[in-house]
């Protein structure tokens, strides 16, 4: 391994940061798609208004969803035990997300195939579900990461999950789900306010402003609940950052308040939850006064800092085990090999900038408002 320019602990830490970047990329980019779809029944009253809303996200949602594929691929290649536990333990939840996300392209393609009000209304509600359900389930999943997941490894490192789908729906996890929904609704409202005018923009700004305030309040409640009433996890004995990926070679303790240990160790981390709340309140205020661009940036900042808050709160844990804490997965014992992480890093350094450049080019080409006159430019009768 001497030929690899970066040591194993550094590569593990880089890939932990990259996983966070990919999650942030998905939440910021595809998050406004989910938020717009969730807002569809509330901000659009006529068929023309619904078509305008759909044309805000119709040209970009597929590109934005690339971030989800990148995140899933990174988990699979960089953190195989995490992939094995989460994708099998959360199987029904993942299936629910998959079904909801499948509704989105089907809804876009089939909605305008038949000029019937009931047909189009059914697909509009399907698109609403395709936005609401993933936003809720992703938040619930994040809540369960903080609570700990009921899994363990046997002596030959086979993962065993002992929970069920409905066991994931605890009050704290559902609170996290509501934070996710309200946060993404505010983010989607910011995009609608940027891309539309008139009644649609006004409704989006009003609903987004309230949603951002609710998200901030729920986030604060969740933080207080986490600090005072939720068991956290801590390493009793330090793990060798350069050691082999064996999650059973450590001792983990669980108890109230342990998730706050990193904040005592690094007080600057308090800036992350503070910026989350500040971003949401800024987004709300800017939506109310018509500063749509700043509102969108505020909600994007909030999303970024919420994800970073969870990541740094749980570090070095990736997925704690609630039934056998010693089986918990950490940054230092759940990664692929040294060589695999390096090769993946080289590939990421090449292709991630290309994705960013292409995304920036697409949004530059599609800049400007979407209105009723935009709908008339299409010669395709089945267009959005």
């Amino acid at each position: 391994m001497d030929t690899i320019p970066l040591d194993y602990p550094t590569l593990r830490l880089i890939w932990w940061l990259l996983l966070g970047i990919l999650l942030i990329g998905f939440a910021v980019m595809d998050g406004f798609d989910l938020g717009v779809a969730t807002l569809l029944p509330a901000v659009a009253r006529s068929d023309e208004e619904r078509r305008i809303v759909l044309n805000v996200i119709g040209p970009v949602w597929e590109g934005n969803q690339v971030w989800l594929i990148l995140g899933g691929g990174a988990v699979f290649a960089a953190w195989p035990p995490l992939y094995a536990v989460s994708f099998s333990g959360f199987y029904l939840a993942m299936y629910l997300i998959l079904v909801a996300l499948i509704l989105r392209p089907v809804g876009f393609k089939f909605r305008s195939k038949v000029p019937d009000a009931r047909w189009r209304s059914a697909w509009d509600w399907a698109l609403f579900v395709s936005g609401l359900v993933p936003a809720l389930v992703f938040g619930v999943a994040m809540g369960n990461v903080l609570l700990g997941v009921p899994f363990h490894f046997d002596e030959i490192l086979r993962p065993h999950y002992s929970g069920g789908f409905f066991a994931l729906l605890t009050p704290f996890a559902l609170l996290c789900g509501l934070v996710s929904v309200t946060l993404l609704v505010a983010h989607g409202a910011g995009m609608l306010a940027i891309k539309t005018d008139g009644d649609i923009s006004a409704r989006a700004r009003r609903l987004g402003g309230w949603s951002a305030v609710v998200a901030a309040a729920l986030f604060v409640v969740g933080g207080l609940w986490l600090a005072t009433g939720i068991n956290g996890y801590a390493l009793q004995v330090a793990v060798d950052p350069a050691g082999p990926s064996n999650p059973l070679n450590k001792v983990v303790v669980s108890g109230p308040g342990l998730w706050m240990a990193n904040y005592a160790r690094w007080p600057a981390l308090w800036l992350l939850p503070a910026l989350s709340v500040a971003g949401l309140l800024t987004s709300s205020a800017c939506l109310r006064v018509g500063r749509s661009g700043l509102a969108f940036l505020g909600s994007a900042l909030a999303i970024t800092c919420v994800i970073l808050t969870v990541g740094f709160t749980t570090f070095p844990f990736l997925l704690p085990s609630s039934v056998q804490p010693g089986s918990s997965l950490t940054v230092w014992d759940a990664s692929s090999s040294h060589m695999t992480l390096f090769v993946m890093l080289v590939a990421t350094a090449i292709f991630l900038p290309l994705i960013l450049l292409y995304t920036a080019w697409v949004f530059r080409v599609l800049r400007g408002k979407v209105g009723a006159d935009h709908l008339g430019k299409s010669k395709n009768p089945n267009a959005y």
Side-chain angles (χ1 to χ4, degrees):
M1 297 300 176
D2 294 337
T3 59
I4 299 178
L6 294 171
D7 60 42
Y8 205 8
T10 300
L11 278 171
R12 283 170 158 168
L13 188 59
I14 288 173
W15 270 102
W16 174 75
L17 292 170
L18 281 174
L19 180 60
I21 290 170
L22 293 174
L23 290 175
I24 290 168
F26 169 69
V28 171
M29 299 304 297
D30 203 41
F32 74 75
D33 294 333
L34 300 178
V36 169
T38 305
L39 283 167
L40 178 61
V43 299
R45 306 292 171 80
S46 66
D47 184 68
E48 181 179 82
E49 288 184 342
R50 295 186 190 100
R51 290 185 64 196
I52 291 172
V53 171
L54 295 182
N55 274 275
V56 169
I57 59 175
V60 298
W61 71 267
E62 287 180 287
N64 292 339
Q65 198 161 284
V66 166
W67 291 96
L68 178 61
I69 298 169
L70 289 173
V75 172
F76 172 77
W79 312 100
L82 176 62
Y83 180 89
V85 172
S86 59
F87 277 69
S88 59
F90 295 160
Y91 182 80
L92 287 179
M94 295 288 185
Y95 183 77
L96 187 61
I97 291 173
L98 181 61
V99 170
L101 291 179
I102 288 173
L103 284 175
R104 180 161 57 179
V106 176
F108 278 125
K109 298 301 181 184
F110 279 85
R111 182 189 184 276
S112 297
K113 295 292 185 183
V114 179
D116 179 78
R118 290 173 299 179
W119 170 270
R120 294 188 174 188
S121 177
W123 286 115
D124 289 339
W125 284 106
L127 288 166
F128 165 75
V129 170
S130 76
L132 176 65
V133 170
L136 179 64
V137 175
F138 283 130
V140 168
M142 193 74 76
N144 277 279
V145 169
L146 292 166
L147 290 169
V149 178
F151 73 93
H152 70 279
F153 290 93
D154 61 23
E155 64 278 0
I156 60 173
L157 295 182
R158 291 181 302 184
H160 298 272
Y161 181 78
S162 55
F165 173 74
F166 291 103
L168 300 174
L169 305 178
T170 62
F172 178 78
L174 289 172
L175 174 66
C176 293
L178 291 176
V179 171
S180 176
V181 170
T182 51
L183 178 53
L184 295 186
V185 164
H187 196 47
M191 178 55 70
L192 283 175
I194 291 172
K195 297 289 288 182
T196 64
D197 285 316
D199 291 339
I200 297 175
S201 180
R203 294 175 193 132
R205 287 189 283 108
R206 184 174 65 254
L207 292 170
W210 282 110
S211 186
V213 171
V214 172
L218 293 176
F219 179 72
V220 171
V221 170
L224 294 174
W225 194 348
L226 185 71
T228 59
I230 301 295
N231 284 348
Y233 297 81
L235 294 170
Q236 194 170 50
V237 180
V239 177
D240 181 7
S245 288
N246 185 343
L248 297 181
N249 290 342
K250 63 178 180 295
V251 178
V252 177
V253 295
S254 176
L258 289 180
W259 279 144
M260 297 295 108
N262 285 343
Y263 293 90
R265 190 177 298 116
W266 303 301
L269 291 180
W270 286 108
L271 283 173
L272 294 175
L275 287 172
S276 302
V277 175
L280 284 166
L281 296 181
T282 298
S283 179
S284 176
C286 290
L287 282 171
R288 293 176 187 279
V289 298
R291 301 296 297 273
S292 306
L294 288 177
F296 186 80
L297 291 176
S299 58
L301 173 66
I303 290 171
T304 300
C305 291
V306 165
I307 293 174
L308 290 176
T309 296
V310 174
F312 281 102
T313 297
T314 58
F315 183 83
F317 290 91
L318 294 170
L319 190 66
S321 170
S322 59
V323 294
Q324 192 181 96
S327 290
S328 299
L329 301 175
T330 74
V331 173
W332 312 125
D333 61 15
S335 73
S336 292
S337 68
H338 191 178
M339 179 61 75
T340 300
L341 294 183
F342 177 72
V343 171
M344 288 175 55
L345 182 61
V346 172
T348 302
I350 295 171
F351 291 106
L352 187 58
L354 294 177
I355 293 171
L356 292 172
L357 288 172
Y358 174 74
T359 301
W361 177 78
V362 168
F363 277 89
R364 184 179 183 279
V365 170
L366 296 174
R367 66 190 182 278
K369 301 282 187 179
V370 178
D373 58 328
H374 177 84
L375 304 180
K377 293 178 181 179
S378 175
K379 303 299 183 183
N380 183 359
N382 297 320
Y384 303 146

